[in-house]
Amino acid sequence: MITMIAAIGKNNELGKDNDLIWHLPNDLKRFKKVTKGHHVIMGRKTYESLGRPLPNRTNIIITRNSDYKAEGCLVVHSLEEAIEAAKEDDNPYILGGAEIYKQAMVFADFLDLTFVDAALEADAFFPEINKNEWKEIEREDHQKDDKHQYNYSFVTYKKVGQ
């Protein structure tokens, strides 16, 4: 089972200038909780935006650069190689970025998404979700508050036929 996890805006926006475009503490807490103890697969730019390996997870970085090194991480050179490196995990998570998400749609069994009720300027986008291929199986809606500038929803999709 492979899960893609992301927070996306109204227009599938993910981020801008290799950074998130909103701050949602509950989303970050949930992300930490669900990915803890798992393999997390990400592209090099996503890893570098984090600045360090995510603790209590096996970090797998995908890069075309054969000389790339990141202490405390596994470095691979394709999404397929990353999935193979995570085969011991019953549910590895794909963390992005945009190009990795695009490639991973065919491999993913679940989408674990935070829909942010905002349309913000972005330069990275999540792929379109084809409602014929994905079925919403869970939703938890939240209202904005003093710590969350936007309404948001935690939504899980399962690939049809899985």
Side-chain angles (χ1 to χ4, degrees):
M1 182 166 74
I2 297 171
T3 302
M4 291 174 31
I5 189 166
I8 64 176
K10 287 182 174 182
N11 301 309
N12 287 4
E13 56 267 55
L14 289 164
K16 182 170 170 51
D17 300 326
N18 214 24
D19 204 358
L20 297 175
I21 49 180
W22 40 67
H23 179 70
L24 299 170
N26 287 346
D27 177 54
L28 296 174
K29 281 184 205 157
R30 185 173 179 283
F31 172 86
K32 184 177 180 180
K33 179 183 169 192
V34 301
T35 62
K36 184 178 179 180
H38 290 282
H39 287 66
V40 290
I41 297 169
M42 68 198 94
R44 176 193 54 80
K45 288 191 266 183
T46 297
Y47 170 73
E48 289 177 354
S49 76
L50 298 171
R52 63 181 171 77
L54 293 172
N56 305 310
R57 285 155 265 204
T58 302
N59 290 251
I60 302 173
I61 303 164
I62 303 168
T63 179
R64 289 185 205 93
N65 181 345
S66 58
D67 297 325
Y68 191 82
K69 304 249 185 297
E71 193 172 327
C73 300
L74 299 172
V75 177
V76 298
H77 307 290
S78 70
L79 179 58
E80 293 81 0
E81 197 179 337
I83 291 168
E84 177 65 22
K87 70 180 178 189
E88 302 290 318
D89 188 346
D90 62 347
N91 188 17
Y93 284 84
I94 296 175
L95 312 186
E99 187 56 37
I100 301 298
Y101 285 134
K102 187 176 170 185
Q103 292 175 34
M105 285 299 269
V106 297
F107 296 103
D109 303 294
F110 291 91
L111 305 177
D112 188 336
L113 302 175
T114 300
F115 284 105
V116 183
D117 189 19
L120 301 175
E121 189 177 330
D123 59 13
F125 297 87
F126 195 80
E128 236 9 86
I129 299 166
N130 181 335
K131 303 292 188 192
N132 295 320
E133 294 177 18
W134 295 96
K135 178 183 178 190
E136 182 178 319
I137 59 169
E138 197 174 317
R139 174 180 287 265
E140 187 181 307
D141 296 322
H142 298 272
Q143 299 300 309
K144 63 183 175 179
D145 58 29
D146 58 336
K147 292 183 180 170
H148 300 83
Q149 188 176 359
Y150 307 103
N151 295 332
Y152 60 98
S153 301
F154 299 135
V155 181
T156 304
Y157 289 91
K158 183 177 183 179
K159 190 175 274 179
V160 173
Q162 294 289 350

